[in-house]
């Protein structure tokens, strides 16, 4: 399992990448709120994720338009809110680079260095992709980088609704976090999928902090 550093910017050397950020959905556990538009540390969640992929050739946001991201390519799954697999299909149609980062829009602690580590891990392992794993060793399927051609091939004929069912058989490299420092309190894979998780992230990243 590859260890990822918690800081740093830029991407691994080699071929470029595009970013697909899933920023739609119904946010049932957040009472239907526009989760990607909620603020943590003075910026919206989707802005924070977009900053983590600032080195991407293209930023593709699957969801409603975001005034904070005027440079993004915006697409919608059909129908809106249909789930992550239809959203991935919609975003993948706009990918042009040989690699892509596939990310949820609710990870406030994700950094450019984490994305670079995922790309480097996939290349070093000659794998079709790489995903972050949490502190319990569970794959975070919306925090990964993938070969574009391989992901397109996997989607061909896939009729399931589960990202795990789609991505798991590809046997990606698994990237874990270092044991200490900021990663302990602010892990890259942390997502704000409940009001409590959002409140905790806000305590860690107080309003006005970059």
């Amino acid at each position: 399992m590859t260890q990822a550093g918690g800081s740093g910017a830029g991407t691994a050397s080699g071929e470029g990448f595009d970013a697909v950020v899933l920023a739609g959905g119904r946010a049932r556990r957040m009472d239907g709120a526009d989760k990607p538009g909620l603020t943590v540390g003075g910026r919206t969640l989707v802005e924070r994720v977009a900053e983590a992929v600032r080195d991407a050739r293209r930023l593709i946001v699957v969801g409603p338009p975001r005034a904070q991201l005027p440079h993004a390519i915006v697409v919608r799954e059909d129908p809106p809110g249909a789930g992550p697999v239809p959203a991935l299909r919609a975003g993948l149609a706009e990918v042009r680079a040989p690699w892509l980062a596939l990310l949820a829009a609710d990870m406030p602690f994700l950094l450019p260095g984490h994305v670079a580590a995922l790309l480097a891990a996939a290349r070093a392992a000659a794998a079709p992709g790489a995903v972050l794993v949490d502190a319990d060793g569970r794959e975070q399927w919306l925090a990964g980088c993938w070969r574009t051609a391989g992901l397109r091939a996997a989607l061909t004929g896939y009729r399931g609704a589960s990202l795990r069912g789609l991505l798991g058989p590809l046997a990606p490299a698994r990237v874990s976090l270092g044991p200490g420092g900021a990663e302990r309190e602010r892990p890259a894979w942390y997502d704000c999928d409940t009001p409590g998780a959002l409140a905790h992230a806000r305590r860690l990243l107080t309003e006005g902090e970059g």
Side-chain angles (χ1 to χ4, degrees):
M1 189 182 297
T2 304
Q3 296 288 331
S7 60
T11 62
S13 61
E15 303 164 306
F17 75 103
D18 290 344
V20 175
V21 178
L22 304 193
R26 302 184 188 278
R28 294 182 181 89
R29 299 174 70 185
M30 299 285 282
D31 296 323
D34 175 25
K35 183 169 59 172
L38 297 174
T39 58
V40 174
R43 287 186 289 169
T44 64
L45 288 168
V46 71
E47 282 181 281
R48 288 188 170 276
V49 174
E51 174 63 17
V53 289
R54 64 191 180 197
D55 294 316
R57 294 180 183 177
R58 302 181 122 202
L59 171 62
I60 302 153
V61 175
V62 185
R66 303 283 171 181
Q68 310 96 326
L69 302 174
H71 60 295
I73 300 166
V74 177
V75 296
R76 294 305 305 263
E77 69 274 32
D78 184 20
V85 173
L88 172 57
R89 289 184 190 276
L92 192 58
E94 297 296 330
V95 171
R96 302 292 181 267
W99 291 87
L100 68 99
L102 174 62
L103 305 169
D106 63 351
M107 296 184 290
F109 307 135
L110 191 70
L111 298 172
H114 300 129
V115 178
L118 285 165
L119 287 166
R123 290 171 176 142
V131 294
L132 287 177
V133 298
D134 67 16
D136 297 319
R138 294 173 298 202
E139 296 92 346
Q140 302 301 299
W141 298 112
L142 281 173
C145 292
W146 302 89
R147 286 189 183 274
T148 302
L151 203 49
R152 285 198 170 114
L155 271 170
T156 300
Y158 183 72
R159 295 294 177 261
S162 164
L163 271 183
R164 179 180 181 180
L166 171 69
L167 302 176
L170 298 179
R174 301 169 78 251
V175 179
S176 69
L177 303 174
E183 292 293 1
R184 180 172 298 168
E185 295 297 324
R186 302 178 183 181
W189 43 261
Y190 186 94
D191 58 0
C192 295
D193 60 352
T194 66
L198 178 67
H200 182 65
R202 284 172 168 168
R203 287 193 293 271
L204 292 175
L205 284 175
T206 58
E207 293 299 321
E209 182 181 357

